[in-house]
Amino acid sequence: MPDAPTRTALVFGASGQIGEALLARLAGGGWQVFAVSRVPRPPAGGVTWLTGEFANVGGLPEAVDVVFSTGPLDGFAQWYARGQVATRRVVAFGSTSLDTKQASADAYERDIVARLQAAERLVFDTASANGAAATVLRPTLVYGAGRDQTLARIAAMGRRMGFFVLPRGANGKRQPVHVDDLAHAALAVVDAPATDGKAYALPGGETLAYRDMVARTLAALVPPARLWEVPMPVFRTALWLARKAGMMRGLTDDAVARMREDLVFDASPARRDFGYAPRLFEPDAKSGAPAVCRRLNSRSPKRF
């Protein structure tokens, strides 16, 4: 039997936490990959690195089988609309923030929602106009690479101080999702026709209280760190002092309020259409590694 032709992919956000996990799976599957990075990188393992940003990427191929976007959705949507690379398949990551921050009192967070909504519409409209199939994936709270804006920061602070402080009653439900499960999902939708023109929430495989999520993260550190729960007035005073000292400015009042809110999403459409099966939440020391965090969207706020 003749060998199957090598499939080609263009990956934006390839040096980010989801992008790196996706590259590993693509390389393992024998794909020929063009990966975009802001800084030059040498070719390796079937990956050709291209240098630039959305406005100016050198060496783009004329056509690929699939375009993946694991970085800022708004920037990608605008690039895709310019039609620089022909493709029949687009898989792009958005965020469940589109749902969780719609009613935020923070104008910045509402702007994020508006940009996500506009970007999703533009991706779907462009794909339809070009006769292509597009799917948007919306992860919940991402972990696993030690580079996220929530659990990795909590782990870093716990490691540095030996403890982490939360207000009492931080029992809102969360569904943290491992970065490798997201990479697996991105590949799974490529050949799933039912996903054309749809957006999917991608929660993790376990639903647990915010304080339990934090406690489990701290317990995975070496040595483990303690979780301190204090009355809300004490927490708000401590947060005010931290902000005055130039710390914790990304932890907004709305973010604190959301610690008591359930942010839960239905994975059944993803299970039905492309066999999505995320793992339980089992953080390890690597998941909370104190790496330099590089946000998937440089304009998104820090999330706790």
Side-chain angles (χ1 to χ4, degrees):
M1 295 289 292
D3 292 336
T6 300
R7 303 177 81 178
T8 57
L10 173 62
V11 181
F12 286 96
S15 57
Q17 56 179 345
I18 300 175
E20 285 186 347
L22 178 59
L23 286 188
R25 285 187 170 271
L26 289 169
W31 289 64
Q32 176 60 49
V33 181
F34 299 91
V36 180
S37 173
R38 291 188 179 94
V39 297
R41 294 170 180 258
V47 177
T48 299
W49 285 94
L50 309 178
T51 304
E53 300 185 6
F54 289 117
N56 183 25
V57 181
L60 285 169
E62 292 184 2
V64 293
D65 294 308
V66 186
V67 175
F68 295 96
S69 171
T70 66
L73 185 61
D74 52 354
F76 170 73
Q78 294 162 22
W79 174 89
Y80 180 44
R82 293 195 291 270
Q84 293 178 266
V85 177
T87 187
R88 303 290 293 180
R89 194 68 173 97
V90 173
V91 180
F93 281 87
S95 172
T96 50
S97 293
L98 188 148
D99 295 311
T100 61
K101 296 179 180 177
Q102 285 193 21
S104 174
D106 189 308
Y108 185 74
E109 292 188 341
R110 294 196 305 274
D111 178 64
I112 290 173
V113 171
R115 288 192 287 112
L116 285 169
Q117 290 173 329
E120 286 195 7
R121 286 195 300 269
L122 183 55
V123 167
F124 286 130
D125 289 348
T126 303
S128 179
N130 293 337
T135 305
V136 172
L137 304 176
R138 301 171 180 167
T140 53
L141 196 157
V142 182
Y143 78 100
R147 295 169 56 184
D148 60 271
Q149 293 298 296
T150 302
L151 296 181
R153 288 182 176 273
I154 288 171
M157 294 180 68
R159 181 181 289 106
R160 184 169 62 249
M161 299 185 297
F163 65 90
F164 189 81
V165 180
L166 280 180
R168 288 177 186 162
N171 292 317
K173 297 295 189 294
R174 295 295 186 272
Q175 299 164 305
V177 59
H178 196 281
V179 65
D180 192 56
D181 291 332
L182 299 177
H184 185 270
L187 274 177
V189 304
V190 168
D191 296 316
T195 66
D196 180 14
K198 296 180 182 177
Y200 295 88
L202 296 186
E206 182 176 0
T207 301
L208 69 167
Y210 192 100
R211 58 95 48 215
D212 294 337
M213 177 185 72
V214 172
R216 202 176 296 181
T217 300
L218 298 175
L221 299 177
V222 181
R226 290 184 295 169
L227 173 61
W228 289 357
E229 296 177 89
V230 300
M232 181 61 81
V234 176
F235 181 82
R236 291 194 181 279
T237 299
L239 182 59
W240 181 82
L241 292 172
R243 289 170 178 167
K244 291 285 285 184
M247 301 181 293
M248 305 291 286
R249 289 177 177 172
L251 186 56
T252 65
D253 291 341
D254 283 87
V256 173
R258 282 194 294 270
M259 292 179 185
R260 296 183 172 185
E261 298 173 3
D262 293 344
L263 306 182
V264 177
F265 298 86
D266 184 9
S268 59
R271 285 197 298 268
R272 178 194 64 225
D273 289 351
F274 56 93
Y276 182 58
R279 71 197 69 186
L280 300 178
F281 180 56
E282 297 178 350
D284 55 24
K286 177 182 179 297
S287 300
V292 176
C293 294
R294 290 172 285 181
R295 280 176 282 174
L296 288 180
N297 186 337
S298 60
R299 288 178 288 176
S300 295
K302 302 168 185 175
R303 297 186 297 175
F304 285 81

